[in-house]
Amino acid sequence: MDTTAHERPRVLLHDPTLRDGQHAVGHQLDAGQLRAYAIAANAAGVPVVEVGHGNGLGASSLQIGRAALDDATMLTTVRETLTSSRMGVFMAPGWGTAKDIAAAVRHGADIVRIAAHCTEADVTERHLDVVRELGAEAQGVLLMSHMAEPRKLAEQCALMVRFGAQAVGIMDSAGYYLPADVTERVAAIASAVDVPLIFHGHNNLGLAVANSLAAVDAGASVIDATARGFGAGAGNTQLEVLVAVLDRRGVSTGIGLREVLAAADIAAARVMKAPPSIDSTAVASGLAGVFSGFKRPVLEAARAGGVDPIDLFLALGERQVVAGQEDLITDVARRLKVATG
Amino acid sequence: MAADTRRRVAVLGAGLIGIDLVDRVHRSAKLDLVLVAGRGQNSLGLHRVAELGYPTAAGGIGSVVEAGPFDVVFDATNADSHAEHWAALRPTGATLIDLTPTGLGTVVVPGVSPHYPVASRHLNLVSCGGQAAIPVLHAVSRHCAPTYVEVVATGAAASAGRATRRNLDQYIDTTSAAIRAFTGTEDVKVMVNLSPARPAPPFRVAITALADGFSPAHIRTSIAAIADTVRGYAPGFEVTSLAMGSGRISVAVQVTTSGRRLPHHAGSVDIINAAAVLLAEQSAAAL
C-alpha cells in the first residue's frame, strides 16, 4: 500500500451483510431487501458488498437450507444497484464448483472468496486458479480457524497465496476468539505472506469488534463487518460500530459515519426481523466452538428432539463438527436424548 | 506345480488409494501384482510401496505400457490424467478400472449391478460417495420416483489425498451424473465436506430423497437388503439412521475400514477399493 507518513493507515471494510446475514433468516432474503441494502451500502461508500446464500455459491440445499432466490438472481439484483462498491461472492469447494464461479463472474462479481476449513487450504488450489483466469480478484479464507494453531494457519495462508490468492485470512466462524488469540494468529500469518490479510469475526462472546481491532493492530487490512452485525448465530462484527471505532483509532476506512449509520438503519428496517443478539445458546455455541450458522438448525433439532439446545451445542462441539455437517445435528440430538433419557 | 492363473495386475498411482489397493491386490488369490507405477522418483508413496517390497516404476502410464500387457490396470491417479491413460491402454487389451471421478468408462456400483460387465474393458467406479450412496438410492427408487435427491459426503481430512482435493468438481459432477443414471431422478445435488476434527470421524454419507406415495416398510426392507449386499465386499458399511415421513426419506450411512493398513475412519478409500478389487476378481472369473 502506498501510504506515506502523513496519511492515516487504511483498512478496507468488506461487507457480507447480504451473505452471512442469510443465516439469520434461513436464507430467505428477497430481491427488495437485497436491493434496499445494496443501494444504501453503495451510497455509504462501503467498498465491497458481498451477496449470496449464507454458505455461498452453490450451497442452497436441504442440508444447509434452501435460499429464496437462486445465485444468479441474487447477484444480478445487487449488481444493478452498485455504482462504486465492488461486488463480492463466497464459495467453498465441495459446496459449489467452478461452474458457479464462472456464472458469478459473468453476473458481475468482482471479488471471489474461496473458502476452506482451517487445515484444508489445498482444496482451494483449483478454484483460486479459476478465479484468476476469469480476471476477478481471488481471495482465500480459512473457516473455523480456531481449530488450528497460529503456525498452521500461517502455513495454510501461504499455500493459498502460492495458489494465486491476492488476499488471505481467517474467519472466526464460531465466534470463539479472544483478542489475544486474534493478535497471535494474524501476526503469524502476516509474517508468512505479503498480501493483504482478512479477518472475519463473530460476536458470540461479545468480542467481534474488539477482535477486529486486534486484527487491524496485528496487520490485517481487510475486515469483514455487517450492518447491525446481521449474520449467523450471535452475528458478525458490527459495521457501523467498527467504522466509528477505527475512526477513533486513527484508521481510515473511506466510509462516512453518517452514511453508514443510515445504511445500518435501512438494514434494521428492511432486512432483518430483529438485530442479532447474544442469547444463551449463542454463548454456548461460541464456547463450544461450533459454526455460528448452526444456530437455526440446532434450535429446530433441539425442539423436535426434546433436548436442551445448549447441551446439543456442547455435544456438537465435542465432535468438532464443521460447517456443512448439518446432517449430524439430528443424529447427535437423538443420541443425546437416549443418553439423558 | 499348476500354472499361475492369476490375473496380471498393475496399479497406476501411489497415493492414499493406490497404496491401499496394492495391499488388497497382494492379498487376493486371483490377482498377481506385477507393477506399481507412479510419477517421478521423488514420489513418497512410490518409495513406501517399494519399501513394502513391491515392484515399482516411476514413469507413470509409460512404465505400465512398457511392462505390459496386463490383464487389469487400476487407475488411482487423478481425473485429469485418466483419459490419456485409457488412450494408452486401450490397444493393449487390458481392462482398465478407473477409481478417479471421470465417469468415462462403464459406471459400475457392485452393490447395485452385481454382474460383471463383460462387454466393457473400461470401468469407472464413480466416487467413494457414489459407491456409498447409490446402493441406498437404488433401493429407494425401486419403490418411488424421487423428485429430488441430495447427497452430502463427509470424509476425514486425513483420508483425502491431493488428487481427491484437486478433483472435487469432477467428484461432484460424476457422482451427480451416476445418481441420475441409477435413480432416474433429474434434480440431484451432491456436496462434499472434509472434516479436520481429531480424532478423525468415520466416512459418512447423508442421503435425502424427496418423494411421494412410498411405503416406508418396503423402503426399510430394501435398504436393509442392499446394505447386506454391500457388506459382502465392504464390511464396514452401515446404515446409521433412516427417517421417513412427509414426502422425505433421509438416510445416513457410515463406512469404516476393513483393510489392514487403513485407519478406521478411512471408509471412503475402503469402499471404492473393495469395489475395484471385487471387479478385478470378477473379470478373472468371467474369462
Side-chain angles (χ1 to χ4, degrees):
Chain A
M1 251 178 245
D2 54 326
T3 45
T4 70
H6 303 294
E7 280 178 14
R8 303 193 328 158
R10 277 191 78 88
V11 161
L12 183 142
L13 298 186
H14 179 112
D15 177 355
T17 301
L18 301 179
R19 198 272 302 164
D20 211 324
Q22 293 270 23
H23 284 290
V25 292
H27 316 282
Q28 295 303 305
L29 292 181
D30 64 33
Q33 292 174 310
L34 297 181
R35 201 174 292 122
Y37 182 69
I39 289 170
N42 183 71
V46 170
V48 182
V49 174
E50 188 175 292
V51 61
H53 177 282
N55 276 20
L57 301 175
S60 181
S61 55
L62 296 173
Q63 172 84 352
I64 300 170
R66 282 179 160 175
L69 305 174
D70 60 28
D71 289 342
T73 308
M74 287 192 261
L75 268 59
T76 46
T77 301
V78 167
R79 177 74 270 170
E80 283 164 10
T81 68
L82 302 180
T83 55
S84 57
S85 305
R86 292 194 293 160
M87 184 165 78
V89 293
F90 174 100
M91 196 210 81
W95 300 343
T97 67
K99 281 183 208 141
D100 298 309
I101 297 174
V105 172
R106 212 162 51 237
H107 291 121
D110 303 294
I111 297 173
V112 182
R113 277 194 177 171
I114 304 297
H117 286 301
C118 53
T119 50
E120 311 305 313
D122 46 8
V123 303
T124 65
E125 180 176 6
R126 196 41 83 77
H127 298 97
L128 284 167
D129 208 36
V130 168
V131 178
R132 291 299 297 266
E133 271 178 25
L134 290 166
E137 180 174 336
Q139 301 188 343
V141 288
L142 299 173
L143 309 177
M144 299 294 285
S145 61
H146 71 281
M147 292 170 76
E149 294 302 310
R151 205 164 45 112
K152 184 75 182 172
L153 295 173
E155 165 208 302
Q156 296 284 298
C157 282
L159 207 55
M160 294 192 291
V161 172
R162 222 180 69 209
F163 297 153
Q166 293 154 292
V168 292
I170 54 175
M171 295 200 162
D172 183 14
S173 312
Y176 180 83
Y177 284 142
L178 306 182
D181 301 325
V182 176
T183 303
E184 195 186 1
R185 282 165 172 79
V186 172
I189 298 165
S191 67
V193 305
D194 55 5
V195 298
L197 296 192
I198 301 163
F199 178 75
H200 173 106
H202 275 274
N203 205 34
N204 297 64
L205 302 179
L207 291 168
V209 170
N211 286 342
S212 301
L213 190 58
V216 170
D217 288 343
S221 60
V222 180
I223 304 292
D224 286 9
T226 67
R228 289 287 193 273
F230 189 49
N236 295 44
T237 304
Q238 194 168 339
L239 173 67
E240 61 279 22
V241 178
L242 188 64
V243 168
V245 166
L246 289 176
D247 187 54
R248 282 214 49 207
R249 183 55 144 229
V251 175
S252 168
T253 63
I255 300 175
L257 183 65
R258 292 301 292 262
E259 290 80 4
V260 78
L261 291 176
D265 289 344
I266 284 170
R270 292 292 309 275
V271 176
M272 60 198 82
K273 292 183 184 97
S277 73
I278 309 173
D279 62 17
S280 301
T281 55
V283 177
S285 144
L287 274 182
V290 174
F291 174 52
S292 295
F294 274 21
K295 181 173 177 178
R296 285 173 63 103
V298 163
L299 291 179
E300 277 163 33
R303 196 164 40 237
V307 298
D308 183 338
I310 292 178
D311 290 338
L312 183 48
F313 265 122
L314 297 176
L316 288 163
E318 249 166 59
R319 295 183 65 146
Q320 299 165 55
V321 295
V322 293
Q325 286 186 283
E326 279 81 348
D327 57 286
L328 269 180
I329 297 172
T330 44
D331 273 22
V332 172
R334 204 174 47 237
R335 257 167 245 180
L336 205 57
K337 181 71 178 171
V338 171
T340 57
Chain B
M1 197 173 138
D4 191 347
T5 58
R6 295 179 303 165
R7 311 285 277 157
R8 280 169 55 84
V9 171
V11 173
L12 193 49
L16 282 174
I17 291 176
I19 289 175
D20 178 61
L21 264 181
V22 165
D23 193 45
R24 288 170 194 264
V25 172
H26 176 69
R27 282 188 281 127
S28 168
K30 295 173 182 162
L31 306 175
D32 178 21
L33 182 64
V34 177
L35 185 69
V36 182
R39 273 230 189 110
Q41 299 289 350
N42 298 325
S43 155
L44 279 176
L46 212 52
H47 274 285
R48 261 187 68 194
V49 173
E51 275 169 21
L52 294 170
Y54 300 109
T56 61
I61 183 66
S63 300
V64 174
V65 171
E66 211 168 280
F70 288 94
D71 298 309
V72 176
V73 177
F74 294 103
D75 190 347
T77 60
N78 65 80
D80 303 313
S81 307
H82 177 74
E84 179 201 331
H85 295 164
W86 171 233
L89 287 170
R90 190 174 194 159
T92 70
T95 291
L96 180 55
I97 300 179
D98 179 16
L99 291 95
T100 78
T102 63
L104 288 178
T106 304
V107 169
V108 186
V109 179
V112 176
S113 27
H115 301 294
Y116 178 75
V118 185
S120 177
R121 286 195 297 104
H122 186 197
L123 311 177
N124 176 264
L125 288 166
V126 192
S127 65
C128 52
Q131 289 294 330
I134 289 171
V136 170
L137 285 166
H138 183 72
V140 167
S141 60
R142 283 175 52 210
H143 299 287
C144 59
T147 54
Y148 176 73
V149 165
E150 188 169 300
V151 168
V152 182
T154 304
S159 68
R162 183 173 150 82
T164 302
R165 289 155 182 269
R166 282 181 57 88
N167 287 164
L168 285 181
D169 282 10
Q170 290 99 324
Y171 186 111
I172 289 170
D173 289 346
T174 299
T175 307
S176 305
I179 290 171
R180 281 185 205 106
F182 277 93
T183 62
T185 302
E186 263 314 298
D187 196 1
V188 173
K189 173 94 184 147
V190 172
M191 301 174 92
V192 184
N193 295 309
L194 293 178
S195 163
R198 298 279 174 162
F203 182 53
R204 177 183 163 94
V205 182
I207 302 153
T208 309
L210 300 183
D212 285 319
F214 55 84
S215 149
H218 286 155
I219 285 177
R220 195 173 292 279
T221 307
S222 272
I223 290 178
I226 200 99
D228 276 340
T229 306
V230 175
R231 271 193 291 274
Y233 56 92
F237 181 92
E238 190 191 352
V239 174
T240 55
S241 78
L242 170 56
M244 288 178 279
S246 61
R248 183 167 171 154
I249 301 159
S250 303
V251 191
V253 163
Q254 184 176 292
V255 191
T256 50
T257 58
S258 49
R260 289 179 196 173
R261 293 191 192 281
L262 287 175
H264 181 73
H265 60 81
S268 50
V269 177
D270 190 273
I271 193 167
I272 196 165
N273 281 0
V277 170
L278 182 70
L279 283 181
E281 291 179 343
Q282 285 177 344
S283 81
L287 275 184

